[in-house]
Amino acid sequence: MSAVHSLAGRLAEGTARHDLRSRWFGVGRSVIAVAQLSVLLLTPLKALLVPVVGMGEFPRCDTVRAASALCLGGDAVGAEPRRWLLIVVLIVAASGYRPRWMVIPHAWAAYSVAVSISVPDGGESVGMIMCFLMIPIGLADGRTWHWQRPESALAPSWRTVSLAFFLAIRVQIAYLYLDSALSKFGVSDWANGTAEYYFLRDGMFGVSRPWDGVLLWMSQSSLVVVSMTWGALLIEIAIGVCLLSSGRRRKAGMVMDIVLHGSIILTMGLWSFALAMIGSAIVCATPDRNPVEPVAEGSGPDTAGAGAHDTGRAAVPCPECGAHAASDAAVSSV
């Protein structure tokens, strides 16, 4: 029973200090939106919807894919107006305006890009999953901009829901990295340490200027190639483990993620994929906050019903919003 009580106490403590309404989480969410925005702004729609042999024309608007914005209006609406509708939604989401209002339209835009284009690179699916998992977290965020400090403490019910989905996000992204790394050991080029040699020389995704000369020369060394290949796998494993760990380790995982995908951007491109993964890691690394007491009941939409449970506690300053709960002394003096 002591183990159960200890686990319950740790869970209660984690829930008490959980609040993702911070600039840190906002940066991650905006980076994901920018990754999705880059697909629509920097790639012609014809290239995104190119027909695929055996699959026909795109966008495919059958079954659940009909909910995509790129299927909106059928033949009566052109592709460009739909594209610009998605661009506007993603710009507003990236700006951080009204997370509570924009979190569902952002998820819709992410879904539309992920299920409708014919040449995805994987980042679209990651972005879509992240946006759906962030819906309950966004619904709990009543700020005007996600760059602002919250003006009230988060209600316990929203705090619990937010924590549950935050844990789901961390498990999902950690699984992606761990599965990616471990599955590569079953591929001969990764297992023998030569994969990076061939990737750098690939006709489509190989290293580009101005780094091609240096990296191609360096990759002539077996030691360098093996270090790059197995080093990438070790970093992926480390990122996955860190994102499941405590706050400081999650930050370390985020730094490794930025280094890994920043290197991919510099050598191979894949901007949208890399930014989606970096944004996801930033979200996962959002640090815990000090315990925050809710403000008095009725002071805001995020605190409904919260004050009734906490009126007898000592005043604790809110590091983000400056709110205080009623102190024991104040209560006793009434």
Side-chain angles (χ1 to χ4, degrees), residues 142-318:
R143 294 174 295 171
T144 303
W145 300 92
H146 69 200
W147 314 109
Q148 293 175 324
R149 293 182 177 183
E151 297 178 354
S152 59
L154 196 61
S157 57
W158 277 123
R159 199 184 299 270
T160 303
V161 171
S162 177
L163 176 61
F165 279 86
F166 181 53
L167 293 174
I169 287 172
R170 288 165 54 193
V171 170
Q172 175 65 75
I173 300 304
Y175 172 80
L176 286 178
Y177 279 104
L178 293 173
D179 180 68
S180 174
L182 297 177
S183 64
K184 287 185 176 72
F185 283 106
V187 180
S188 59
D189 288 343
W190 284 100
N192 61 31
T194 62
E196 287 294 343
Y197 178 89
Y198 300 108
F199 272 121
L200 292 174
R201 289 163 175 78
D202 185 83
M204 181 174 294
F205 296 111
V207 61
S208 56
R209 296 180 180 179
W211 314 105
D212 53 343
V214 174
L215 289 176
L216 291 176
W217 173 76
M218 291 176 60
S219 64
Q220 294 176 13
S221 166
S222 299
L223 180 60
V224 171
V225 171
V226 171
S227 298
M228 292 173 65
T229 302
W230 288 349
L233 299 183
L234 292 176
I235 289 176
E236 285 186 332
I237 293 173
I239 291 171
V241 172
C242 286
L243 295 184
L244 294 174
S245 303
S246 62
R248 288 186 177 181
R249 293 189 181 93
R250 294 204 305 269
K251 291 178 183 179
M254 180 200 67
V255 172
M256 288 187 285
D257 190 276
I258 293 173
V259 171
L260 175 65
H261 290 287
S263 300
I264 292 175
I265 288 174
L266 291 176
T267 57
M268 300 171 59
L270 298 178
W271 281 83
S272 61
F273 172 75
L275 288 175
M277 298 307 299
I278 290 173
S280 299
I282 294 173
V283 168
C284 291
T286 303
D288 295 326
R289 287 167 48 181
N290 294 326
V292 178
E293 295 290 341
V295 297
E297 183 177 4
S299 61
D302 296 327
T303 60
H309 301 287
D310 297 278
T311 54
R313 297 186 181 179
V316 179
C318 168

Side-chain angles (χ1 to χ4, degrees), residues 22-34 106 130 134 146-147 275-276 278-284 286:
S22 67
R23 296 185 184 96
W24 191 295
F25 185 87
V27 169
R29 181 169 171 263
S30 291
V31 170
I32 293 172
V34 169
H106 185 191
M130 286 293 296
M134 287 191 294
H146 69 200
W147 314 109
L275 288 175
I278 290 173
S280 299
I282 294 173
V283 168
C284 291
T286 303

Side-chain angles (χ1 to χ4, degrees), residues 327-334:
S327 66
D328 287 329
V331 172
S332 63
S333 64
V334 176

Side-chain angles (χ1 to χ4, degrees), residues 45 48-49 65 83 89 96 100 120 168 175 179 241 260 270 274 317:
L45 199 58
L48 294 174
L49 303 178
R65 287 186 285 260
R83 171 174 169 263
V89 170
R100 179 173 289 167
Y175 172 80
D179 180 68
V241 172
L260 175 65
L270 298 178

